[in-house]
Amino acid sequence: MTPAPYRARRASLSRFVDVRGLRYHVNLWGELAQVTRDRPLLVLMHGWMDVGASFQFVVDAMRDGRTIAAADWRGFGRTVAPPLTDSYWFADYLGDLDGLLDGLSPDAPVDLVGHSMGGNVVMTYAAARPARIRRLVNMEGFGLPEAKPEQAPERLRQWLDELKTPQRLKPYATLDDVAARLVKNNPRLTPDRATWLAQHWAERRDDGAWHILGDPAHKRVNPALYRKDEVLEGWKVIEAPTLWIEGDETDPDRWWGHRYPRSEFDARIALVKNLRRVRLASCGHMLHFDQPQALAEALDSFLDVA
């Protein structure tokens, strides 16, 4: 029996913003006209293979009164992919974010939150555009293992080979199957929330199947190597008060092992000058699914400081 879907306490409205030739989809809770310098727009940016709507559970748990926007990155959710996209480039995410903030809050700084991939983007953006950010939150945006120059030829070969290989994401027969996949990925995601999220994470197409709202080209390797030293030079100059949030069950060593030990990340994040840290109990990488109430409390506490 399909559980009743989650009932949102604060329903969002869909808005589209023209950003660099794309129609960026934004979930908007509240009115942009209500934004003030003391209570700026809160912008939430999701991670890889996620959508802005997945922040709904956290928004519902936060204190009322703040206008919140959560966008779908290019090629995710209802922000369509650019035509003939071979790969996704980090610089494009930065350019998109800059244009998005120009459209949503052109005259005032924002509070900016990013999860995972989005956390990495917002950290680099805050270094490049310090005047645009009042408060910054990085939720498990660990970055990547340091790449070595000698890896470049093999990486390029891999990318060229993948360009010749059609990419696809598995379709699902029913929306219940999509919800079951979400629960399988994140066992703390309750069935009612999974049922609600599934309709934002996938769409039914002409073939009758439900397709994930993500461009399969995201699966291709990035031909550009990760430049740790360049990233960290940015982290050093971040001016905004910054909050790092992680789950106590997240183990980066399981992802990268000896290539990127936890001790190296701790040394990296220590370069951020005005940093606070929060660890959420009984929580993995998908903080906004696993512990939305605890996450909301951490955000409220940090963002409401004058």
Side-chain angles (χ1 to χ4, degrees):
M1 180 178 177
T2 303
Y6 173 85
R7 295 189 65 177
R9 187 176 70 86
R10 291 187 68 187
S12 69
L13 296 176
S14 286
R15 176 171 176 175
F16 288 89
V17 180
D18 291 331
V19 176
R20 304 177 64 225
L22 299 175
R23 295 185 72 237
Y24 248 74
H25 177 250
V26 178
N27 301 276
L28 187 64
W29 295 268
E31 300 290 338
L32 292 175
Q34 296 175 347
V35 170
T36 66
R37 286 196 170 268
D38 291 334
R39 187 162 284 243
L41 178 67
L42 173 58
V43 179
L44 309 173
M45 303 304 299
H46 66 80
W48 190 79
M49 291 308 299
D50 201 358
V51 294
S54 70
F55 288 110
Q56 179 70 56
F57 317 129
V58 177
V59 171
D60 282 344
M62 293 183 71
R63 288 196 283 267
D64 289 336
R66 181 182 290 275
T67 301
I68 302 173
D72 298 335
W73 288 115
R74 58 170 55 206
F76 288 120
R78 296 173 65 188
T79 301
V80 299
L84 301 176
T85 300
D86 289 326
S87 301
Y88 285 81
W89 302 83
F90 192 83
D92 278 329
Y93 295 129
L94 291 171
D96 289 355
L97 182 56
D98 200 43
L100 181 68
L101 297 187
D102 286 346
L104 294 175
S105 183
D107 301 319
V110 303
D111 288 340
L112 185 59
V113 178
H115 173 246
S116 195
M117 180 192 82
N120 293 309
V121 177
V122 302
M123 292 284 282
T124 299
Y125 183 78
R129 294 283 200 210
R132 300 294 282 121
I133 313 301
R134 189 196 72 137
R135 294 270 189 285
L136 178 68
V137 181
N138 181 353
M139 304 192 308
E140 297 219 350
F142 286 94
L144 295 170
E146 181 178 11
K148 305 295 185 182
E150 57 267 26
Q151 295 174 255
E154 177 57 33
R155 177 70 65 83
L156 290 172
R157 280 193 291 269
Q158 181 182 353
W159 180 66
L160 290 171
D161 289 342
E162 290 182 1
L163 287 182
K164 298 176 182 179
T165 304
Q167 303 294 317
R168 66 187 298 271
L169 298 173
K170 176 185 175 181
Y172 294 85
T174 69
L175 197 60
D176 287 346
D177 291 337
V178 177
R181 166 65 186 275
L182 288 166
V183 173
K184 181 180 179 181
N185 289 350
N186 302 282
R188 286 196 177 90
L189 184 64
T190 59
D192 64 322
R193 287 174 172 161
T195 299
W196 182 92
L197 184 59
Q199 62 189 317
H200 298 275
W201 208 58
E203 67 178 5
R204 191 176 188 182
R205 296 180 182 166
D206 292 343
D207 61 1
W210 288 83
H211 294 260
I212 303 305
L213 290 171
D215 182 2
H218 285 288
K219 296 174 66 175
R220 292 195 179 103
V221 68
N222 194 318
L225 297 180
Y226 184 80
R227 306 289 189 181
K228 184 198 79 169
D229 290 343
E230 295 177 10
V231 171
L232 295 189
E233 287 303 312
W235 288 20
K236 290 178 184 178
V237 300
I238 291 174
E239 296 180 4
T242 303
L243 177 65
W244 164 260
I245 310 180
E246 65 180 308
D248 67 342
E249 296 180 4
T250 298
D251 181 8
D253 290 348
R254 288 194 305 230
W255 303 333
W256 301 298
H258 68 278
R259 293 189 300 134
Y260 185 14
R262 176 57 193 249
S263 59
E264 181 179 341
F265 169 74
D266 289 335
R268 292 185 190 185
I269 198 69
L271 297 174
V272 180
K273 291 177 291 189
N274 191 353
L275 180 72
R276 289 175 54 185
R277 303 176 189 229
V278 169
R279 174 173 283 198
L280 303 183
S282 301
C283 187
H285 183 61
M286 300 300 282
L287 314 171
H288 48 310
F289 292 170
D290 292 359
Q291 296 294 345
Q293 181 65 49
L295 177 57
E297 291 171 2
L299 293 174
D300 280 332
S301 176
F302 178 69
L303 299 175
D304 283 353
V305 175

